[in-house]
Amino acid sequence: MKVVVVGAGPAGATLALLLARHGVEVRLLEREASSVGVFRGEGLMPLGVDALREMGLDGVLAEVPGRPVETWRILIDGEEVLTVPEPAAELGERAFRVASPAALLQRVVEEAGSHPGFSHHPRTRFTDVVRDAAGRVTGVRAVHDGTEVEWPADLVVGCDGRGSSVRTRARLGLTHAREAYDVLWFKLPAPDALRERCDFHIMVRQGQHPLIAYTSWDDLLQCGLIMPKGGMAEFRGDGWLPAALASAPDWLAGHVLDRRSEVVGPIRLNVLVGHAPSWSTPGVLLLGDAAHPMSPVRAQGINLALRDVVVAANHLLPLVSASPDPGSVDRACRAIQTEREPEVLRAQKLQRREAQGQGDARAASWRYALAKRGARLLGRYRWAQRAWLRRQHDLRFGSTSVRLHTPASRL
């Protein structure tokens, strides 16, 4: 069986590894020279950690730079009104963490490279699919270091993100959700009080865009300003930084402005949210953000993509043979969507629910005033903190069971 995977992010790299372990001839294409410097999600919820463990990659995860998340801190109009400890001791190795995506992907690709059927093609830009006379996709065209190449495939898997070229060239549509975001990411040295720990700060202020911040695996404070589509126009030019800190408390805004010469960024991320009505067409399968671009709320993109991979492997590995039947491949692709789509759509629904409060703050609605009053009165109680965590359950642990049917080899 020959498979071409387009996109060497978390979904593409791990799928290539699982296929290569079981004798599939798999090519992994990546537009960039390396994953270093490419902005990728780095928050691993228990559902994503579980998927990596199913793949036999828990040892790898333990080796890459990272740190557990200790608390969630909700700040309204500069006041911390709810502090929720992460149950790290209870979850153990499954605890929510941030980890270096570049280091994780490097280790996955290295392990895949130990299998004879695997080949990695960085600096390779996918340009189109190849079709036979009946319209079935039978390979890809790409450009590698300025040279046009063409590779045959029994299946082309698009793991190339929310702006997927595979999705476009395979003529698979995308249904856009009403909510769409722009995110302005920037980072800088963390304050001394936050340097040795990882707390997720969610900051909202009446009439302003929400801001999130946490100390990442590299000891830098990662900040993200979330705004409706088109909001990026407010942050052009040299004066963007003070405006981006409008929702931050004084102590954090002061720290960032004092260290403005050390700010890395901003990186402007165009976030589309939606889902492909069909994840496949004869000879093509979409996974991860290519099939269902997620919002940035609760770091679902990377986690759901990893779970897509586990399910995809369950359906594709039984087809491994010298010449798989095209009809069987297509049925497997449809079955993958059937199994994964309910959890994905539920996660998007829950993301919309969680984002509503941020939108209420931006719009200064009556719900915002009510939520602020309620958080001030109840936030100090342990039962309220546990209720907040329970509300996040399916975004943290998933809403279905995802297990790898074929045992994964351990590193």
Side-chain angles (χ1 to χ4, degrees):
M1 185 177 188
K2 295 182 179 180
V3 176
V4 173
V5 179
V6 181
T14 54
L15 179 66
L17 169 60
L18 295 185
L19 296 177
R21 279 177 179 167
H22 293 86
V24 176
E25 183 180 330
V26 56
R27 295 181 186 271
L28 178 62
L29 279 53
E30 172 55 47
R31 181 178 57 189
E32 306 296 334
S34 75
S35 58
V36 177
V38 178
F39 187 87
R40 303 187 192 276
E42 56 190 28
L44 289 170
M45 290 285 186
L47 73 162
V49 175
D50 288 345
L52 290 171
R53 289 165 61 87
E54 287 294 309
M55 300 176 196
L57 293 172
D58 40 326
V60 168
L61 183 57
E63 295 172 2
V64 303
R67 60 176 67 195
V69 175
E70 297 188 32
T71 59
W72 295 84
R73 298 181 181 274
I74 315 300
L75 293 91
I76 300 179
D77 292 343
E79 177 188 355
E80 187 168 325
V81 296
L82 179 64
T83 304
V84 183
E86 264 291 312
E90 174 186 336
L91 293 173
E93 294 179 350
R94 302 176 66 213
F96 177 35
R97 71 194 69 187
V98 294
S100 166
L104 177 62
L105 294 176
Q106 180 180 349
R107 289 288 287 112
V108 171
V109 172
E110 287 173 356
E111 204 275 335
S114 68
H115 301 281
F118 173 81
S119 59
H120 183 214
H121 302 270
R123 302 182 306 279
T124 301
R125 178 172 58 87
F126 165 85
T127 58
D128 207 349
V129 295
V130 177
R131 298 179 185 271
D132 64 15
R136 181 181 184 82
V137 172
T138 58
V140 301
R141 295 188 181 93
V143 176
H144 175 69
D145 284 345
T147 301
E148 293 186 0
V149 294
E150 185 173 307
W151 287 303
D154 298 301
L155 180 64
V156 176
V157 185
C159 297
D160 51 339
R162 62 188 71 249
S164 172
S165 296
V166 174
R167 185 179 65 226
T168 299
R169 294 297 184 177
R171 303 167 194 157
L172 291 166
L174 185 69
T175 299
H176 295 268
R178 286 180 299 174
E179 72 275 15
Y181 302 89
D182 288 328
V183 182
L184 197 72
W185 290 104
F186 57 98
K187 58 171 48 179
L188 70 154
D192 290 342
L194 301 181
R195 192 165 298 155
E196 302 301 325
R197 54 184 295 124
C198 182
D199 300 326
F200 256 78
H201 296 78
I202 301 175
M203 296 161 276
V204 297
R205 190 181 293 271
Q206 183 171 321
Q208 303 295 335
H209 300 306
L211 179 70
I212 64 169
Y214 61 93
T215 306
S216 191
W217 55 270
D218 54 6
D219 297 334
L220 296 178
L221 187 70
Q222 178 74 68
C223 304
L225 185 70
I226 303 172
M227 65 198 79
K229 187 63 61 185
M232 207 71 80
E234 304 173 36
F235 301 94
R236 305 294 183 189
D238 296 336
W240 67 271
L241 188 57
L245 297 168
S247 290
D250 291 344
W251 64 267
L252 181 58
H255 169 81
V256 175
L257 294 175
D258 287 345
R259 307 290 291 267
R260 70 173 70 205
S261 64
E262 299 171 82
V263 170
V264 178
I267 296 174
R268 293 173 169 85
L269 185 63
N270 175 22
V271 180
L272 301 176
V273 182
H275 70 280
S278 177
W279 297 14
S280 64
T281 193
V284 173
L285 171 67
L286 304 176
L287 295 177
D289 273 349
H292 48 81
M294 308 297 291
S295 95
V297 174
R298 303 297 183 268
Q300 291 297 288
I302 182 174
N303 295 284
L304 291 180
L306 293 171
R307 288 163 74 83
D308 288 353
V309 168
V310 173
V311 172
N314 286 340
H315 288 278
L316 294 176
L317 290 178
L319 305 179
V320 174
S321 66
S323 181
D325 169 49
S328 298
V329 173
D330 295 343
R331 286 191 293 274
C333 291
R334 292 192 295 269
I336 292 164
Q337 177 177 357
T338 298
E339 186 171 343
R340 289 297 302 138
E341 195 169 45
E343 180 175 66
V344 167
L345 295 180
R346 174 162 175 75
Q348 290 183 331
K349 179 180 179 180
L350 294 175
Q351 285 185 311
R352 288 193 295 272
R353 182 190 69 179
E354 294 305 309
Q356 181 178 339
Q358 299 174 11
D360 289 339
R362 187 185 295 112
S365 74
W366 64 267
R367 286 188 297 267
Y368 172 73
L370 185 62
K372 179 179 178 180
R373 179 178 174 83
R376 278 177 168 171
L377 290 174
L378 304 176
R380 65 182 182 273
Y381 295 109
R382 182 64 182 136
W383 63 263
Q385 298 163 15
R386 288 195 295 266
W388 188 90
L389 280 176
R390 284 196 299 271
R391 177 184 169 95
Q392 317 290 319
H393 180 275
D394 284 1
L395 292 174
R396 294 162 58 80
F397 298 98
S399 55
T400 62
S401 175
V402 173
R403 303 295 301 274
L404 187 66
H405 298 162
T406 303
S409 60
R410 299 271 164 174
L411 297 184

